[in-house]
């Protein structure tokens, strides 16, 4: 995900390096605020699952690199192939896509007691003792159940489709505006 | 280099942070990892070091981290004793999440702070504002803490220059960037020069604080240990760290400026601790003055070499512990170590005389 800015020629008298880093700072801070506000708007799901803090984690990974010629490249997140890492997750939400499981199914917590916990961590994949896994006939999804409480803990699905959401990032116009405002800050 | 180091290197290479600072940051990262690892042996936290590094590089989820650490703690015979089930119990989700989150946020906070304090960033955005970034059920009263520590409110907002000591004063960890406390949910955001002027925030002269606000990654690095400073465990830490560690009661402090103090002559010599082959090594001001200074800055006249910087010397202990490559040359050890700025540090160690030479060469195709 790249965004390039160029400065009008009127400003070429400025120190390019300084202008570039001022602009990078403006964009970095704006994108971090954007992610943070998104995180603050997150509410518990209908099932009572609390927000994961994903957007706050993503805000911590924002990096804006200014380059020669007063260009800036934005990146967010760790460099990983794992869609659970904030960087990959940001791109997934922005562009949309389908997540497939590494093994048999994706596990979605549906009970607040297992929010943020994977079945493997809880030892719930053995299908014995405390937990049982079951797939209703002719159903594409299954469940992991807490045998003692009789509660369904995780929903098991074969894939998850995320629709593209362009509001994940600020608009190009917003980013250009904050970048220009940084130039004005050091020019004035 | 570790996965986390590679990511940090990539971030630094393409950032506005001057290359002369890269190797200091690499040294900080290495020292922190090593410090955490050795301390961990005493506190059963060793299991977490590689797991945290993995998770920072995006290869491990928080859930996988907890599972892996619990397995290692169990294998190591960990017993929480009377703390079982409490926040002090390393097996609990709450404790492991606290360790994971604090480490992740500290590393991210440092990199964000470096980006926010480049020359251009300070010129256009000279101040930070402390804001709530994550909701908490029982939030601390940060405006009260802010004022108690000497901060000023501007129209009710917690704003101060990025170089103001208030940022260190409000931090439980003594660092000028988040996290400022465990589970605080607070974060800092930049405030523009024009907004500062409108609010009446006093600003330092432009350029007066350049570089001064970027502390060492290991500033105030310390660990409270459940051991006495005269215990065998403390001796093991001293063997590992040499003079880089100092005990104050049962608190172990990291002496991040030790190497610089030796170079400047403030400290005559320092033990670097146990090296890759179990031997100890020291660096003295005399060795620097008599042999090593010829490779520093403008004094380096060998065209094959890159002039040494302050950050290169800070890497000496990490290089001694874990070199990239070792060759034997006429009974001397020739150690090599790859640096963030695309160089290879070369350290020649004589079994009797100790450090004989230290210089830096280019990696073909390096950064």
């Amino acid at each position: 995900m790249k965004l390039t800015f160029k400065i009008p020629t009127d400003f070429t008298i400025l120190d390019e390096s300084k202008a570039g880093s001022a602009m990078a700072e403006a964009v970095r801070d704006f994108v971090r605020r954007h992610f943070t506000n998104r995180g603050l708007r997150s509410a518990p799901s209908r099932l009572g699952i609390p927000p994961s803090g994903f957007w706050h984690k993503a805000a911590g990974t924002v990096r804006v690199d200014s380059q020669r010629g007063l260009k800036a490249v934005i990146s967010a997140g760790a460099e990983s192939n794992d869609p659970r890492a904030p960087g990959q997750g940001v791109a997934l939400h922005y562009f949309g896509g389908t997540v497939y499981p590494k093994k048999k199914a994706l596990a979605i917590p549906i009970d607040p007691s297992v929010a943020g916990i994977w079945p493997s961590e809880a030892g719930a994949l053995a299908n014995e003792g405390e937990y049982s896994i079951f797939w209703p006939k002719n159903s594409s999804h299954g469940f992991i159940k807490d045998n003692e409480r009789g509660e369904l803990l995780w929903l098991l699905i074969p894939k998850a489709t995320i629709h593209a959401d362009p509001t994940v990032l600020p608009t190009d116009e917003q980013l250009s505006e904050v970048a220009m405002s940084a130039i004005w800050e050091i020019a004035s | 280099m570790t996965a986390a180091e590679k990511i940090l290197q990539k971030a630094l290479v393409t950032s506005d942070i001057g290359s002369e600072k890269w190797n200091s940051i690499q040294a900080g990262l290495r020292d922190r990892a090593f410090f955490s690892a050795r301390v961990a042996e005493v506190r059963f936290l060793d299991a977490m070091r590689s797991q945290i590094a993995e998770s920072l590089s995006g290869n491990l989820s928080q859930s996988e981290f907890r599972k892996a650490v619990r397995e290692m703690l169990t294998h190591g015979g960990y017993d929480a004793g009377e703390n079982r089930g409490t926040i002090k119990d390393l097996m609990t989700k709450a404790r492991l999440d606290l360790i994971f989150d604090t480490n992740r946020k500290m590393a991210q906070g440092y990199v964000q702070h470096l980006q926010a304090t480049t020359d251009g960033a300070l010129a256009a955005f000279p101040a930070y504002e402390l804001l709530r970034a994550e909701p908490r059920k029982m939030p601390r009263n940060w405006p009260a803490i802010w004022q108690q520590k000497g901060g000023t409110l501007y129209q009710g907002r917690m704003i101060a220059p990025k170089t103001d000591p208030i940022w260190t004063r409000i931090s439980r960890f003594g660092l000028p960037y988040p996290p400022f406390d465990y589970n605080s949910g607070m974060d800092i955001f930049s405030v523009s020069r024009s907004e500062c002027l409108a609010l009446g925030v006093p600003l330092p002269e432009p350029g007066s604080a350049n570089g001064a606000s970027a502390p060492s990654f290991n500033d105030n690095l310390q660990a409270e240990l459940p051991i006495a400073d005269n215990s065998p465990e403390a001796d093991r830490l001293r063997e590992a760290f040499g003079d880089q560690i100092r005990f104050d009661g049962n608190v172990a402090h990291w002496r991040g400026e030790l190497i610089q103090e030796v170079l400047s002559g403030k400290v005559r010599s320092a033990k670097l601790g146990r090296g890759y082959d179990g031997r100890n090594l020291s660096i003295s001001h005399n060795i620097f003055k008599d042999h090593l200074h010829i490779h520093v800055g403008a004094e380096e006249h060998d065209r094959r070499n890159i002039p040494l910087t302050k950050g290169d010397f800070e890497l000496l202990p990490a290089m001694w512990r874990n070199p990239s490559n070792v060759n034997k040359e006429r009974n001397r050890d020739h150690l090599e170590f790859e640096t963030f700025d695309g160089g290879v540090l070369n350290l020649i160690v004589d079994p009797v005389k100790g450090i004989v030479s230290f210089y830096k060469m280019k990696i073909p195709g390096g950064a």
Side-chain angles (χ1 to χ4, degrees), chain B residues 144-351:
Chain B
I145 295 169
W146 178 262
Q147 289 176 291
Q148 282 163 12
K149 300 289 184 183
T152 305
L153 295 175
Y154 298 93
Q155 296 182 10
R157 296 165 66 183
M158 294 176 277
I159 298 175
K162 289 176 176 175
T163 52
D164 195 289
I166 183 68
W167 299 112
T168 306
R169 288 204 297 265
I170 62 168
S171 169
R172 170 186 281 262
F173 312 107
L175 297 168
Y177 48 83
F180 292 110
D181 207 334
Y182 295 112
N183 275 330
S184 75
M186 301 299 283
D187 205 346
I188 48 178
F189 296 91
S190 288
V191 182
S192 69
R193 174 167 292 278
S194 57
E195 193 170 8
C196 287
L197 293 173
L199 289 166
V201 179
L203 297 176
E205 286 296 312
S208 65
N210 288 351
S213 58
S216 156
F217 187 53
N218 290 332
D219 266 7
N220 296 307
L221 179 59
Q222 61 184 51
E224 193 171 334
L225 304 170
I227 56 173
D229 63 0
N230 58 357
S231 65
E233 289 87 352
D235 288 340
R236 279 174 58 204
L237 290 175
R238 284 194 195 91
E239 276 178 27
F241 293 115
D243 292 329
Q244 290 181 290
I245 195 172
R246 174 178 62 80
F247 274 92
D248 180 11
N250 65 343
V251 178
H253 295 269
W254 183 256
R255 297 176 66 186
E257 297 301 316
L258 182 65
I259 300 297
Q260 295 307 325
E261 288 173 352
V262 172
L263 300 189
S264 68
K266 189 176 171 186
V267 172
R268 293 188 65 81
S269 69
K271 293 174 189 163
L272 302 182
R274 187 161 285 182
Y276 72 99
D277 62 352
R279 282 183 297 153
N280 288 301
L281 186 69
S282 295
I283 181 169
S284 69
H285 181 65
N286 284 344
I287 290 175
F288 172 70
K289 203 173 58 176
D290 297 341
H291 301 292
L292 308 186
H293 72 94
I294 59 168
H295 297 298
V296 178
E299 292 190 61
E300 174 61 84
H301 295 300
D302 189 329
R303 288 186 177 180
R304 294 168 301 174
N305 294 347
I306 306 170
L308 289 170
T309 64
K310 172 184 164 183
D312 294 322
F313 281 93
E314 290 177 13
L315 275 168
L316 263 173
M319 178 179 187
W320 176 236
R321 286 191 298 265
N322 192 15
S324 310
N325 194 26
V326 181
N327 296 306
K328 287 278 184 191
E329 294 172 0
R330 289 179 296 176
N331 203 31
R332 289 176 170 177
D333 290 339
H334 183 163
L335 282 67
E336 294 177 331
F337 187 87
E338 290 178 22
T339 59
F340 275 9
D341 65 356
V344 178
L345 290 174
N346 290 261
L347 176 67
I348 313 292
V349 179
D350 183 276

Side-chain angles (χ1 to χ4, degrees), chain A residues 25 28-29 32 66 121 185, chain B residues 16 63 112 187 190 194:
Chain A
E25 172 61 5
R28 185 191 68 86
D29 193 72
R32 289 187 70 241
S66 64
E121 181 189 353
E185 290 290 341
Chain B
D16 291 315
S63 187
Q112 295 290 340
D187 205 346
S190 288
S194 57

Side-chain angles (χ1 to χ4, degrees), chain A residues 17-26 28-29 32-33 36 39-40 42 53 56-57 59-67 78-82 84-85 102 115-123 178 181-183 185-186 188, chain B residues 7 10-11 14-16 56-64 66-67 70 93 101 104-105 108 112-113 115-121 123-125 128-129 131-135 162 185-195:
Chain A
S17 166
K18 196 170 181 179
S21 59
M23 193 174 61
E25 172 61 5
R28 185 191 68 86
D29 193 72
R32 289 187 70 241
R33 285 175 190 262
T36 300
L40 285 169
S42 302
H56 183 69
K57 288 174 193 164
T61 65
V62 174
R63 198 175 82 217
V64 177
D65 304 318
S66 64
Q67 298 178 340
E79 289 152 26
S80 163
N81 294 323
D82 191 332
R84 297 164 310 215
K102 277 183 184 171
I117 297 174
W118 289 14
S120 57
E121 181 189 353
V178 297
S181 71
I183 302 302
E185 290 290 341
I186 56 172
S188 57
Chain B
I7 285 172
K10 192 165 182 179
T14 54
S15 74
D16 291 315
L56 282 177
S57 55
N59 293 326
L60 199 69
S61 75
Q62 199 151 335
S63 187
E64 289 170 310
R66 289 190 300 262
K67 181 171 182 263
R70 283 193 193 113
K93 180 176 182 292
D101 284 334
R104 174 178 57 78
K105 287 178 180 175
Q108 289 178 345
Q112 295 290 340
H113 181 63
Q115 293 182 85
T117 51
T118 57
D119 288 355
F125 299 91
Y128 281 136
E129 179 173 12
L131 288 171
R132 177 150 298 285
E134 290 178 290
K162 289 176 176 175
M186 301 299 283
D187 205 346
I188 48 178
F189 296 91
S190 288
V191 182
S192 69
R193 174 167 292 278
S194 57
E195 193 170 8

Side-chain angles (χ1 to χ4, degrees), chain A residues 21-158:
Chain A
S21 59
M23 193 174 61
E25 172 61 5
V27 173
R28 185 191 68 86
D29 193 72
F30 194 72
V31 175
R32 289 187 70 241
R33 285 175 190 262
H34 187 81
F35 287 164
T36 300
N37 289 333
R38 202 176 172 101
L40 285 169
R41 288 197 302 270
S42 302
S45 73
R46 281 176 297 162
L47 296 168
I49 308 292
S52 66
F54 173 86
W55 292 107
H56 183 69
K57 288 174 193 164
T61 65
V62 174
R63 198 175 82 217
V64 177
D65 304 318
S66 64
Q67 298 178 340
R68 287 180 64 85
L70 301 183
K71 294 176 183 175
V73 179
I74 303 173
S75 63
E79 289 152 26
S80 163
N81 294 323
D82 191 332
R84 297 164 310 215
Q88 293 295 315
V90 170
L92 181 64
H93 283 279
Y94 185 75
F95 294 111
T98 302
V99 181
Y100 292 95
K102 277 183 184 171
K103 292 182 181 170
K104 193 175 177 184
L106 297 169
I108 313 293
I110 52 175
D111 186 287
S113 68
V114 294
I117 297 174
W118 289 14
S120 57
E121 181 189 353
L125 294 178
N127 198 20
E128 59 185 21
E130 222 177 307
Y131 304 97
S132 57
I133 300 173
F134 66 96
W135 293 79
K137 274 188 181 174
N138 301 321
S139 172
S140 63
H141 57 269
F143 298 94
I144 298 179
K145 183 180 171 184
D146 180 334
N147 291 333
E148 196 176 310
R149 290 164 52 206
E151 300 281 346
L152 300 178
L153 302 180
W154 287 276
L155 169 68
L156 303 173
I157 53 176

